[in-house]
Amino acid sequence: MEAAPEPAAASLIVMVLLAGRAAVRQGDEVVELGAGALCLVRGARPLEMSLTEPFEMALVNVPEQEFAERFPLWRAALMRPIPGGAGVPAVLLDAVRSLQRWRDTLGVAGHQGIANALIDLIGAVVCFAVPANADCIQRSLYQRERVKRFAHENLRNPELSVEQIADGVQLSPRQIHRLFASEPISLMRWVWMQRLENCYRELRDAGSASRSISDIAYAWGFNDQAHFSRAFRRRFGIAPREVRRQGQREAPRAELTDAGLARR
């Protein structure tokens, strides 16, 4: 069997041999696969397979550029026979078999979540296949921290959006969403909470006593005072003005404590 290069966007292909035996050739490299083994190949290059007995194979396609940005060691895992009898490869093998079994019952709503989970599983397989790099498992963490750092530096911009953040870190909005798919909250929800935390801190700070609550909220990206007050109360269980009063009540006590320490 021969497969021509993909004419569209390049993809990374995970070949999962569920039954039979196969010899896979790409360029000058040849990989022998037995039942339950995996192999990563590039869809942008010609591919040959020799199959001498009945077989069953599943192919999982992932956008190559997106995968490469999240898992920088992916090339080192290409054209390697990866046994699927234990560990992370076995989990991926079970996931592929499960998808085959239940594919007719899957609704559209669950497709994106399953796709994200598969990408992370394939990335874990890359880490399994390239054990020499102790930092392999940190590949997505680095990108997430880079995105968060850019977002944090631009918290005061009320127009900040996923699209602007993606442009700032040279990723696509889709990549941003996938990076944060496994996080407990979305990126923009994280931005919203960071803004509220900063407002809370400033409202308690005696040095900000001369600034109005609306000025502080506006400075941290909130354009609607009523919306800010509701969001603040939901987040902290207390109104912004009460937080300010608490800060004002505690300031004299802090000054007295500092004065006592100075006398000692």
Side-chain angles (χ1 to χ4, degrees):
M1 296 177 61
E2 296 183 1
E6 297 176 342
S11 67
L12 176 70
I13 302 173
V14 184
M15 307 180 72
V16 184
L17 191 62
L18 300 171
R21 299 190 63 82
V24 181
R25 177 187 294 275
Q26 192 162 58
D28 296 329
E29 297 181 274
V30 179
V31 172
E32 299 282 343
L33 298 179
L38 320 173
C39 179
L40 279 69
V41 300
R42 298 187 67 185
R45 300 185 63 191
L47 180 73
E48 296 179 8
M49 284 190 294
S50 298
L51 303 136
T52 57
E53 59 185 79
F55 73 96
E56 183 182 4
M57 179 178 288
L59 305 180
V60 184
N61 288 33
V62 180
E64 183 177 294
Q65 181 178 356
E66 180 175 342
F67 192 84
E69 290 172 346
R70 293 178 61 179
F71 304 95
L73 292 182
W74 67 284
R75 291 179 185 274
L78 290 172
M79 293 298 292
R80 287 191 178 198
I82 304 173
V88 175
V91 175
L92 177 60
L93 192 65
D94 286 348
V96 170
R97 286 173 170 154
S98 180
L99 284 170
Q100 286 189 315
R101 186 181 309 117
W102 302 109
R103 61 187 175 187
D104 294 332
T105 66
L106 295 174
V108 176
H111 287 176
Q112 189 63 53
I114 290 173
N116 290 332
L118 275 176
I119 288 179
D120 283 337
L121 264 178
I122 295 168
V125 168
V126 168
C127 296
F128 177 89
V130 192
N133 184 356
D135 295 328
C136 182
I137 201 65
Q138 302 298 320
R139 75 285 173 200
S140 288
L141 294 178
Y142 164 74
Q143 292 285 27
R144 281 199 291 267
E145 288 307 310
R146 192 164 69 93
V147 169
K148 284 184 174 181
R149 185 165 57 249
F150 179 89
H152 196 272
E153 291 170 354
N154 292 273
L155 285 177
R156 295 179 183 273
N157 178 6
E159 304 300 324
L160 188 65
S161 65
V162 171
E163 289 72 21
Q164 288 184 351
I165 295 171
D167 186 62
V169 297
Q170 297 183 326
L171 295 174
S172 70
R174 184 179 179 184
Q175 288 170 304
I176 297 289
H177 288 304
R178 282 193 169 176
L179 278 174
F180 285 83
S182 60
E183 293 284 281
I185 58 175
S186 68
L187 173 60
M188 294 314 296
R189 174 78 174 176
W190 179 85
V191 166
W192 177 80
M193 292 181 68
Q194 292 297 305
R195 286 170 170 165
L196 289 174
E197 293 286 347
N198 280 288
C199 289
Y200 185 96
R201 188 184 67 252
E202 287 206 25
L203 287 170
R204 289 186 66 91
D205 184 6
S208 300
S210 61
R211 300 176 62 197
S212 68
I213 293 175
S214 59
D215 283 345
I216 292 173
Y218 182 78
W220 286 107
F222 291 97
N223 286 329
D224 187 323
Q225 177 65 26
H227 169 71
F228 164 72
S229 296
R230 290 193 299 269
F232 192 95
R233 184 182 286 275
R234 282 197 303 268
R235 175 70 181 89
F236 301 109
I238 189 173
R241 62 169 53 89
E242 184 56 34
V243 171
R244 165 153 282 179
R245 290 194 192 104
Q246 289 178 356
Q248 291 171 344
R249 287 195 295 267
E250 292 174 4
R253 277 178 274 176
E255 291 174 2
L256 286 173
T257 301
D258 291 343
L261 289 172
R263 284 195 296 272
R264 290 179 190 177

